[in-house]
């Protein structure tokens, strides 16, 4: 009786294994999968890139979203069953993943040549997708006078109320130094010294009790909308989306903004490399990129994309000359070197 | 059964009864094992295996050895007191040249940077500026010129300490300890010593949530167990409804309730109780409230099932023997609910230890629990060694607590004289 039962179980197992093996082979012949950040941004990408690309190239593709983290990509590639082909990554993920060999080295001749893109967006492992800022955001309906910059952000007498910053040392320490009078171009020079780090934390001490820490990009607009905070650091695109889609009246301060780039990469060993290159080529063309900026306020990487935009659209982009004038690029090399140490330091400070 | 065994003991059979019993017992065990074997194999492959793999990363330290093999061979004879000899410098130069070609320099740089902040730059700049292999006898001088760090003893001890194949580096770091240049274990510098207090914080939050759940859950469970079925079923639905609602939804609902212009503050303001909004969220209070709400069903259900089994006759008997209600409750009722209290508390406590989403959304920077850091090091900074070490310490502490709890409850169990 029992023997027969075990035989049945074994049969069941055998069936399950064959089924999963069959599924695995189906998985290898999967469609091109493009991964981005989700939310309003991915909706804009669908309009500007994904849907038109499917029609124009006749290539089946699907899109997914993720929350970032080079550990996720490492697990995908080293696990040997990467289900993603093209992924949008932040600058530090690009640098670390490139060092670790998680991405294919890009052949720029297949995507319009290096000369087509603005210099900071050209990298051997990835090509720039968007340029965006961390800006000071506030609600025009709630503040009597508009803040001028990070110094006002730290001045609770002038503008009462709580503030929100991104949890962790990255962007927080730069903002603290700029508020303390360091010029945007000198921020990383100062932060590289122990005195500079001390100075940043001292400045943070002055409003420690008034800070709410956010962890996801969707939180700052909510914190502004609910009146929980008077000002916040926020991705510029989120402010714009809230104003457009939810009829908010949020304002931004471009002075002392921190800008960074996101890039497209092709994961190492992708079975859909040709389709991936076709997609990157499509998403790198100026006429397609300008459509993205019309849908969401991010600057793009093609040199000619900004020129195709109406002045009304351009003035709200991070890449507009006036807006980038006093902005500082987040220093990837600095953070790669110091993120662990300063994260520990930051948490020590927070727990005090 | 007893009659049979008595007559069996008196009957002179070839195989003694004890042995036959044992044999029958063994066959039963083998059959039982065969029945659960598929599940066991499945769990080993999908659960125990990966966890063991993750724990292994907490001590695995082979990255640097793969990148700088000749350097380690040359350092084997180094006494660690002054700078290594020319041979070690030459070996390092040759390793760096080779690593630059294969593109593996960053792997070593990342690992060494954990131990000595700035090492990433030392290695990458050296790799960039070392154009050709130095002439024999000049390696020491050349490397020292490219980066003065190569003239420091600590630079070399850091490399030596990362020789692998296994290391205590990450586990020590998870306990705020480091090895100094002489290999002695000492306390980490105060700036970096955060993990012990982090574990303490995690345990304190979990404990407070457990106590709150017990205080709130006990009366509810009692009510559920004593009401007539028609009404207790309705109440049970109220207990289970949040249980079936997404964790994220419940956490966000608390944000709406507790924020400074939220429902609670507005109501209190309207009633004239407060002038300034109270800070109820993005702090420890908010974390405890939201987590207690989320975990309450896990406390109520075990309590309810243990109370359901208590016969009301005991309390009546106690009363008829003259015990006042409080005494009867403390000496008759409460001891019988102990298994439920124990099971509920352990369940809530262990679930709370691993909480991530709720503290992340409603806590401040000083309320993040250990899971937040494990996630941070796993996904964001990709420091898997430290993430695994933190996980290992948490796992060990949890297992120890469960063991202690098991011992405590075993000695306490009162079954009302009905040993089963």
């Amino acid at each position: 009786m029992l023997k027969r039962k075990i035989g049945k179980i074994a049969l069941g197992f055998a069936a399950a294994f064959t089924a999963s093996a069959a599924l695995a082979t189906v998985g290898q012949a999967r469609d091109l999968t493009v991964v981005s950040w989700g939310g309003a941004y991915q909706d804009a990408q669908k309009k500007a890139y994904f849907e038109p690309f499917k029609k124009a190239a006749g290539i089946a593709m699907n899109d997914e979203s993720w929350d970032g983290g080079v550990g996720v990509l490492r697990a995908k590639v080293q696990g040997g069953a990467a289900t993603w082909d093209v992924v949008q990554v932040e600058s530090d993920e690009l640098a670390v993943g490139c060092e670790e060999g998680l991405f294919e080295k890009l052949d720029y001749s297949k995507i319009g040549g290096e000369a087509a893109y603005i210099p900071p967006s050209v990298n051997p492992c990835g090509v720039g997708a968007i340029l965006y800022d961390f800006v000071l955001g506030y609600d025009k309906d709630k503040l009597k006078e508009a803040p001028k910059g990070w110094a006002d952000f730290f001045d609770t007498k002038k503008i009462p109320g709580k503030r929100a910053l991104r949890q962790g040392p990255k962007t927080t320490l730069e903002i603290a130094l700029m508020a303390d009078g360091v010029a945007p171009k000198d921020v990383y020079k100062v932060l590289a010294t122990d005195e500079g780090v001390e100075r940043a934390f001292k400045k943070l001490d002055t409003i420690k009790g008034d800070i709410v820490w956010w962890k996801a990009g969707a939180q700052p607009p909510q914190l502004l909308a609910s009146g929980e905070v008077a000002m916040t650091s926020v991705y510029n695109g989120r402010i714009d989306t809230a104003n457009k889609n939810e009829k908010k009246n949020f304002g931004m301060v471009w002075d002392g903004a921190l800008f960074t780039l996101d890039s497209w990469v092709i994961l190492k060993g992708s079975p859909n490399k040709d389709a991936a290159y076709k997609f990157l080529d499509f998403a790198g063309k100026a006429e397609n990129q300008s459509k993205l900026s019309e849908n969401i306020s991010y600057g793009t990487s093609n040199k000619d994309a900004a020129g195709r935009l109406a002045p009304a659209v351009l003035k709200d982009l991070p890449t507009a000359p006036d807006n980038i004038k006093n902005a500082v690029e987040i220093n990837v090399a600095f953070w790669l070197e110091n993120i662990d140490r300063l994260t520990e330091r930051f948490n020590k400070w927070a727990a005090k | 059964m007893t009659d049979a065994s008595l007559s069996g003991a008196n009957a002179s059979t070839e195989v003694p009864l004890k042995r036959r019993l044992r044999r029958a017992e063994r066959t039963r065990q083998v059959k039982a094992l065969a029945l659960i074997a598929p599940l066991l194999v499945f769990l080993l492959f999908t659960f125990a295996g990966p966890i063991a793999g993750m724990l292994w990363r907490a001590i695995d330290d082979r990255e640097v050895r793969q990148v700088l093999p000749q350097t380690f061979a040359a350092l084997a004879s180094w006494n660690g007191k002054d700078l290594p000899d020319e041979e070690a410098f030459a070996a390092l130069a040759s390793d760096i040249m080779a690593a630059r070609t294969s593109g593996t320099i960053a792997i070593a740089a990342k690992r060494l940077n954990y131990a000595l902040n700035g090492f990433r730059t030392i290695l990458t700049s050296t790799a960039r500026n070392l154009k050709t292999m130095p002439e024999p006898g000049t390696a020491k001088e050349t490397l020292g010129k490219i980066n003065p760090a190569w003239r420091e003893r600590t630079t070399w001890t850091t490399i030596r300490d990362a020789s692998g194949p296994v290391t205590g580096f990450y586990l020590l770091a998870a306990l705020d300890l480091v090895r100094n240049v002489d290999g002695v274990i000492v306390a980490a510098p105060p700036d970096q010593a955060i993990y012990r207090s982090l574990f303490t914080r995690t345990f304190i939050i979990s404990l407070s949530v457990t106590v709150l759940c017990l205080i709130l859950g006990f009366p509810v469970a009692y009510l559920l167990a004593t009401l007539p079925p028609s009404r207790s079923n309705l109440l049970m639905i109220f207990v289970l409804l949040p249980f079936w609602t997404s964790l994220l939804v419940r956490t966000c609902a608390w944000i709406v309730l507790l924020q400074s212009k939220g429902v609670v503050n507005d109501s209190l303001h309207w009633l004239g109780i407060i002038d300034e909004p109270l800070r109820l969220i993005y702090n420890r209070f908010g974390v405890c409230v939201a987590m207690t709400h989320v975990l309450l069903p896990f406390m109520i259900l075990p309590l309810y099932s243990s109370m359901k089994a208590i016969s009301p006759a005991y309390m009546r008997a106690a009363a008829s023997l003259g015990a006042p209600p409080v005494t009867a409750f403390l000496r008759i009722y409460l001891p019988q609910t102990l298994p439920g209290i124990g099971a509920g508390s352990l369940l809530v406590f262990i679930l709370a230890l691993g909480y991530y989403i709720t503290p992340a959304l409603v806590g401040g920077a000083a309320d993040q629990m250990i899971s937040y850091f494990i996630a941070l090091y796993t996904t964001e900074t990709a420091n898997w060694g430290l993430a695994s070490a933190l996980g290992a310490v948490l796992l060990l502490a949890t297992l120890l607590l469960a063991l202690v709890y098991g011992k405590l409850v075993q000695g306490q169990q009162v079954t009302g004289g009905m040993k089963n």
Side-chain angles (χ1 to χ4, degrees):
Chain A
M1 179 72 211
L2 187 72
K3 262 206 182 120
R4 224 178 319 149
K5 263 193 190 156
I6 288 178
K8 269 192 184 159
I9 290 169
L11 259 180
F13 256 79
F17 274 122
T18 9
S20 58
L23 275 176
T25 44
V26 169
Q28 272 154 12
R30 60 183 169 76
D31 295 338
L32 174 71
T33 304
V34 178
V35 186
S36 180
W37 304 117
Y41 175 45
Q42 194 146 337
D43 292 341
Q45 285 179 310
K46 273 190 189 127
K47 266 194 233 162
Y49 300 149
F50 305 160
E51 298 304 329
F53 172 71
K54 275 187 238 180
K55 279 202 195 74
I59 291 176
M61 65 159 276
N62 48 43
D63 58 300
E64 290 182 25
S65 60
W66 75 311
D67 293 329
V70 75
V72 176
L73 300 175
R74 193 201 280 176
K76 284 255 173 210
V77 173
Q78 291 182 356
T83 45
W84 297 348
D85 302 303
V86 177
V87 185
Q88 185 153 136
V89 295
E90 287 182 355
S91 47
D92 51 342
E93 287 149 3
L94 175 69
V96 176
C98 198
E99 285 175 350
E100 289 194 12
L102 302 179
F103 311 140
E104 295 283 347
K105 291 273 186 287
L106 283 191
D107 176 355
Y108 271 85
S109 68
K110 292 183 180 169
I111 53 174
E114 289 182 20
Y117 299 95
I118 55 171
S121 67
V122 177
N123 182 289
C125 288
V127 57
I130 48 165
L131 189 148
Y132 58 94
D133 281 26
F134 275 88
V135 293
L136 191 168
Y138 61 99
D139 191 341
K140 288 179 185 168
D141 293 344
K142 293 199 177 83
L143 294 192
K144 285 191 218 56
E145 61 171 317
K148 302 266 181 307
W150 296 116
D152 289 351
F153 187 91
F154 280 75
D155 190 341
T156 44
K157 281 201 188 62
K158 188 174 164 188
I159 302 171
K162 282 186 277 183
R163 279 74 167 131
L165 287 169
R166 181 173 184 258
Q167 174 150 338
K170 205 173 174 177
T171 70
T172 303
L173 298 181
E174 291 98 320
I175 285 170
L177 285 180
M178 283 191 271
D180 207 33
V182 177
K185 62 179 187 343
D186 300 331
V187 163
Y188 288 101
K189 234 185 296 178
V190 177
L191 204 52
T193 63
D194 288 346
E195 298 77 36
V197 174
E198 284 303 325
R199 185 175 164 184
F201 279 111
K202 239 197 198 73
K203 186 71 184 174
L204 284 169
D205 270 329
T206 59
I207 56 165
K208 190 173 178 179
D210 294 306
I211 305 179
V212 172
W213 299 99
W214 60 264
K215 292 157 199 84
Q219 285 173 293
Q222 289 165 4
L223 291 166
L224 283 181
S226 67
E228 186 72 24
V229 299
M231 289 177 272
T232 179
S233 68
V234 55
Y235 296 114
N236 70 289
R238 301 272 181 179
I239 290 286
D240 223 67
T241 309
N243 287 347
K244 272 187 194 140
N245 300 354
E246 285 150 49
K247 304 284 170 282
K248 294 286 173 205
N249 189 17
F250 293 161
M252 285 180 276
V253 180
W254 294 100
D255 195 23
L258 293 153
F259 77 87
T260 183
L261 285 138
D262 282 358
S263 307
W264 293 113
V265 297
I266 302 176
L267 285 196
K268 192 91 185 170
S270 154
N272 294 319
K273 235 191 307 191
D274 292 343
Y277 271 117
K278 286 200 181 92
F279 172 76
L280 291 189
D281 184 39
F282 187 89
K285 289 208 175 0
E287 62 266 30
N288 300 324
Q289 289 197 351
S290 60
K291 286 197 192 82
L292 182 84
S293 295
E294 280 160 13
N295 280 307
I296 195 157
S297 294
Y298 292 129
T300 52
S301 56
N302 191 303
K303 280 177 182 163
D304 306 327
R308 299 168 152 269
L309 292 167
V313 176
L314 187 63
K315 74 169 175 47
D316 289 332
L317 292 189
T319 36
D322 281 351
N323 298 343
I324 205 158
K325 194 172 58 189
N326 223 2
V328 89
E329 182 172 9
I330 295 177
N331 186 327
V332 181
F334 174 85
W335 283 114
L336 280 185
E337 177 108 355
N338 296 293
I339 186 76
D340 286 293
R341 177 178 66 108
L342 290 176
T343 298
E344 282 167 355
R345 177 73 205 270
F346 173 85
N347 287 299
K348 188 87 188 169
W349 170 83
K352 265 202 293 250
Chain B
M1 174 71 214
T2 46
D3 290 349
S5 63
L6 279 176
S7 61
N10 296 338
S12 55
T13 44
E14 274 190 50
V15 186
L17 176 74
K18 257 196 177 156
R19 200 176 301 168
R20 270 188 301 166
L21 250 175
R22 243 188 319 208
R23 202 175 296 161
E25 206 48 38
R26 204 173 313 136
T27 330
R28 262 222 337 243
Q29 277 174 347
V30 169
K31 277 183 184 170
L33 196 65
L35 282 174
I36 61 160
L39 178 66
L40 205 63
V41 170
F42 174 77
L43 281 179
L44 275 177
F45 270 98
T46 59
F47 191 68
I51 286 181
M54 265 329 269
L55 292 177
W56 162 246
R57 286 181 181 278
I59 53 167
D60 179 21
D61 198 18
R62 290 166 304 178
E63 293 163 320
V64 187
R65 182 168 280 280
Q66 283 160 0
V67 182
L68 310 173
Q70 302 169 51
T71 313
F72 283 121
L75 283 180
S77 56
W78 178 46
N79 61 6
K81 292 283 179 285
D82 353 286
L83 279 186
D85 51 13
E86 173 66 28
E87 187 201 348
F89 277 89
L92 178 74
S94 141
D95 274 336
I96 288 180
M97 301 278 287
R100 191 176 52 196
T101 337
S102 60
T104 50
I105 203 85
I107 295 170
K110 188 174 58 123
R111 162 64 182 90
L112 292 167
N113 200 62
Y114 294 150
L116 183 67
N117 204 69
F119 219 124
R120 181 184 278 273
T121 311
I122 296 172
L123 260 188
T124 45
S125 74
T126 310
R128 239 196 336 269
N129 295 316
L130 193 63
K131 301 278 184 279
T132 53
M133 191 65 204
E135 293 296 315
T138 62
K140 200 165 188 165
E141 203 184 326
T142 317
L143 286 174
K145 255 195 216 132
I146 289 176
N147 196 322
W150 295 118
R151 299 191 194 120
E152 303 283 334
R153 182 178 147 219
T154 43
T155 312
W156 289 92
T157 52
T158 305
I159 293 185
R160 186 197 58 192
D161 293 347
S163 61
V166 291
T167 181
F169 172 75
Y170 297 114
L171 284 168
L172 289 175
L175 296 169
D176 295 341
L177 300 166
V178 286
R179 272 184 203 282
N180 65 9
V181 281
D182 302 316
V184 185
I185 295 174
V186 292
D191 276 356
Q192 290 156 32
I194 61 168
Y195 299 110
R196 272 186 234 171
S197 63
L198 200 62
F199 280 112
T200 317
R201 177 195 301 170
T202 304
F203 281 99
I204 287 175
I205 292 179
S206 302
L207 197 65
S208 339
V209 168
T210 309
V211 170
L212 279 171
C213 278
L214 186 59
I215 293 170
L216 293 172
F218 197 92
V220 177
Y222 179 79
L223 195 64
L224 279 171
T226 49
L227 278 179
S230 59
R231 271 189 290 170
S232 80
N233 281 348
L234 184 69
L235 267 185
M236 196 50 133
I237 288 172
F238 280 121
V239 171
L240 288 173
L241 204 60
F243 193 51
W244 292 326
T245 316
S246 147
L247 173 81
L248 202 56
V249 171
R250 282 181 288 166
T251 304
C252 291
W254 279 110
I255 296 177
V256 173
L257 284 171
L258 298 178
Q259 59 193 8
S260 55
K261 293 195 171 56
V263 179
V264 174
N265 268 317
D266 279 356
S267 312
L268 290 174
H269 193 81
W270 182 77
L271 292 168
I273 298 169
I274 51 167
D275 299 328
E276 282 294 303
L278 297 170
R279 289 206 71 169
L280 304 171
I281 199 160
Y282 308 120
N283 56 17
R284 190 65 55 92
F285 177 82
V287 173
C288 286
V289 168
M291 278 176 71
T292 302
H293 172 236
V294 169
L295 289 167
L296 203 51
F298 291 100
M299 181 66 87
I300 292 176
L301 295 174
L303 277 175
Y304 167 79
S305 64
S306 75
M307 288 174 180
K308 230 15 207 181
I310 301 170
S311 160
Y314 293 132
M315 288 299 272
R316 285 203 294 272
S320 75
L321 291 169
V326 175
T327 314
F329 172 79
L330 287 177
R331 296 196 37 199
I332 305 296
Y333 195 82
L334 193 65
Q336 295 184 81
T337 62
L338 276 181
I341 292 178
S345 301
L346 193 67
L347 198 59
V348 169
F349 185 78
I350 287 181
L351 282 171
L353 277 182
Y355 252 54
Y356 170 61
I357 298 267
T358 307
L361 283 176
V362 300
D367 309 310
Q368 297 311 313
M369 294 166 77
I370 197 77
S371 54
Y372 170 83
F373 288 84
I374 293 175
L376 179 87
Y377 290 127
T378 306
T379 57
E380 279 193 45
T381 67
N383 184 348
W384 285 5
L386 187 54
S388 302
L390 290 172
V393 173
L394 182 65
L395 187 66
L396 192 71
T398 312
L399 286 177
L400 278 177
L401 276 172
L403 278 176
V404 169
Y405 159 84
K407 284 273 175 289
L408 283 177
V409 170
Q410 237 168 20
Q412 294 259 332
Q413 280 217 13
V414 180
T415 51
M418 295 188 298
K419 280 261 183 284
N420 37 7

